[in-house]
Amino acid sequence: MKNLFNNTEVAFALKNNKELKRAHFLFKMISKPTLVKLGSSLANFAIKTHLPVTGLIRSTVFDHFCGGISEDDCLTVVDNMYAKGGVASVLDYSVEGKETEKQFDAALNMTIKTIEYAKQRPDSIPFAVFKPTGFGRFDMFVKKGEKVAFTAEEEKEWERIVYRFNMACKYAYDHGVLLLIDAEHSWMQDAADDIALDMMRKYNKEKALIYNTAQMYRWDRLQYLKDLHAIAKAEGFHVGMKVVRGAYMEVERERATERGYKSPICVDKAATDVNYDAGVTYMLENIDSMAIFAGTHNEKSSYLIMDLMEKHNISHTDRRLYFGQLYGMSDNISFNLAKEKFNVAKYLPFGPVRDVIPYLIRRAEENTSVAGQTNRELDLIETELKRRKL
């Protein structure tokens, strides 16, 4: 199966000619860093000044990378991907940068709603997900992680954050739904990791239902995985972990330089790849007490996981292991894996167009900064355009 990911007919079977041409246009634009920077600035400006650009954004970049403006809006995409391609979805409410208690309560309600969708469609929506800063202010996580004393008011605010985490995790547990907790910037992550650990202690006794996220571009995350596993074995619970490379590299390095501390990010892409592969290898070697959502757009890592599954006699359909990619990217990995009956789930972002702009900008910037990612997408799309004689 060494050329599995080159089959463009399977990869793009769900895209009609118009959608394939749009994808070609978008990745052509994303391949130019100057254009991405300019486009990001213009999009931010347009949103802040309330220019009428949502129609343009909706019909181009939004529709390619997002499932819709609401959870109901996504169901057509969910059903289509699963029925025709065998690829499941993770409904991801991708509204970022909120600051009020009302907004955090709304994010909890949305998470509960997506858990309900997952309960009703356990095969096509096997996971629900939330971001820690969807449930509370970024600065609160930083303060807690740095062990800075809270004021009486902040203490209450922190209790509400922990309450929201617990509400989401308990609801998922009560309904037998797998729940992913996303990772964010390193300087707020310690506090989020501590809550995630408490949630695993509480709800992962029989099997892994609650999953934290390890961003393996951080050189300390392999040790974090091993330490967490040691705690789990000692206390008798299962570890659930989404393993990804990471999404905030530039910001992390800039902050470390500005503040004069050692960068938490691996020295280069090669070191990140080694770290990622070591992480998934460790987890697959300990699959009896760990469950893994392998979030990767990297073909070599995907082949490695397939080889390890074979080595350790792990069935393609074992629900302790899912491959994951983002909607609108790496369809050659997602749909070709699904064709071989592996468990695959695409992150399907949704939310009002204006609110999802920060997510879309990050996606474009991430594609630009990962060497080879955009060119690989373009090569595959062009191969399929030629195959269709377009």
Side-chain angles (χ1 to χ4, degrees), residues 8-9 12 17 20-21 24 28 375 377-390:
T8 61
E9 187 175 357
F12 301 115
N17 293 345
L20 195 64
K21 285 176 179 175
H24 185 257
K28 205 88 172 148
N375 289 338
E377 294 279 359
L378 271 171
D379 287 346
L380 290 159
I381 293 166
E382 283 166 5
T383 302
E384 180 60 10
L385 285 168
K386 280 176 193 157
R387 194 194 68 78
R388 294 187 192 182
K389 298 185 169 58
L390 297 172

Side-chain angles (χ1 to χ4, degrees), residues 10-282:
V10 170
F12 301 115
L14 271 66
K15 281 191 169 29
N16 61 34
N17 293 345
K18 186 183 171 187
E19 288 165 339
L20 195 64
K21 285 176 179 175
R22 180 184 66 194
H24 185 257
F25 169 76
L26 285 172
F27 281 108
K28 205 88 172 148
M29 295 297 105
I30 290 169
S31 69
K32 299 173 171 65
T34 317
L35 262 183
V36 170
K37 274 188 180 157
L38 179 65
S40 301
S41 302
L42 287 172
N44 276 324
F45 175 76
I47 295 304
K48 278 175 190 157
T49 54
H50 302 286
L51 290 173
V53 292
T54 49
L56 174 65
I57 292 168
R58 173 91 210 243
S59 63
T60 53
V61 65
F62 183 93
D63 278 352
H64 182 81
F65 289 111
C66 299
I69 57 171
S70 71
E71 65 283 11
D72 287 332
D73 219 8
C74 294
L75 293 182
T76 308
V77 179
V78 169
D79 293 342
N80 195 33
M81 280 206 299
Y82 193 71
K84 294 181 183 173
V87 172
S89 299
V90 182
L91 294 180
D92 179 22
Y93 184 53
S94 295
V95 173
E96 300 181 2
K98 300 303 180 189
E99 287 285 312
T100 71
E101 293 295 302
K102 194 178 171 186
Q103 289 167 330
F104 299 141
D105 286 339
L108 171 62
N109 291 336
M110 183 58 78
T111 305
I112 298 289
K113 209 182 253 191
T114 57
I115 292 169
E116 284 174 357
Y117 275 99
K119 185 198 168 200
Q120 290 157 16
R121 289 171 151 84
D123 295 326
S124 60
I125 309 177
F127 291 86
V129 63
F130 70 87
K131 277 172 83 86
T133 56
F135 286 179
R137 288 190 301 122
F138 186 94
D139 291 349
M140 292 294 291
F141 286 94
V142 177
K143 245 185 156 177
K144 185 71 177 174
E146 291 174 351
K147 297 179 171 54
V148 177
F150 283 154
T151 64
E153 203 161 306
E154 285 173 334
E155 199 62 61
K156 284 180 185 159
E157 189 179 341
W158 182 253
E159 282 169 13
R160 287 194 296 273
I161 292 170
V162 175
Y163 169 81
R164 290 185 192 105
F165 266 75
N166 188 61
M167 280 291 286
C169 293
K170 185 179 187 309
Y171 202 83
Y173 174 80
D174 289 344
H175 293 86
V177 170
L178 306 171
L179 181 63
L180 301 162
I181 303 171
D182 276 345
E184 300 186 57
H185 300 87
S186 63
W187 61 98
M188 63 71 65
Q189 193 59 45
D190 285 352
D193 287 344
D194 287 346
I195 309 180
L197 170 58
D198 284 341
M199 296 300 119
M200 285 189 212
R201 279 186 173 119
K202 227 173 180 178
Y203 300 114
N204 284 5
K205 284 192 164 62
E206 296 95 24
K207 61 177 181 177
L209 275 172
I210 310 303
Y211 289 59
N212 198 20
T213 298
Q215 300 190 99
M216 302 307 288
Y217 67 178
R218 283 182 58 176
W219 48 262
D220 66 347
R221 289 294 89 174
L222 182 59
Q223 194 56 51
Y224 160 74
L225 262 181
K226 291 176 178 177
D227 292 345
L228 180 64
H229 187 219
I231 294 168
K233 282 195 290 187
E235 297 183 18
F237 65 89
H238 293 255
V239 171
M241 193 64 63
K242 180 174 73 149
V243 185
V244 298
R245 277 170 169 78
Y248 306 96
M249 184 174 68
E250 319 273 326
V251 184
E252 291 280 1
R253 284 187 173 145
E254 277 167 24
R255 187 178 191 268
T257 305
E258 274 169 23
R259 304 203 172 200
Y261 61 84
K262 184 181 176 182
S263 170
I265 306 301
C266 291
V267 289
D268 55 23
K269 172 77 165 62
T272 297
D273 290 343
V274 168
N275 210 35
Y276 184 92
D277 291 348
V280 293
T281 300
Y282 181 81

Side-chain angles (χ1 to χ4, degrees), residues 270-338:
T272 297
D273 290 343
V274 168
N275 210 35
Y276 184 92
D277 291 348
V280 293
T281 300
Y282 181 81
M283 289 195 74
L284 286 163
E285 284 169 352
N286 293 283
I287 195 77
D288 289 340
S289 54
M290 303 182 102
I292 177 171
F293 183 98
T296 182
H297 293 186
N298 184 290
E299 294 179 15
K300 281 185 182 170
S301 293
S302 301
Y303 283 127
L304 171 71
I305 294 164
M306 290 155 71
D307 291 343
L308 287 166
M309 287 176 76
E310 196 173 331
K311 181 184 171 185
H312 297 296
N313 295 315
I314 301 165
S315 156
H316 287 202
T317 55
D318 190 320
R319 286 175 77 90
R320 292 172 300 179
L321 190 142
Y322 265 83
F323 289 87
Q325 289 79 41
L326 296 165
Y327 183 67
M329 289 167 64
S330 300
D331 287 345
N332 64 311
I333 295 177
S334 309
F335 288 97
N336 281 302
L337 280 172

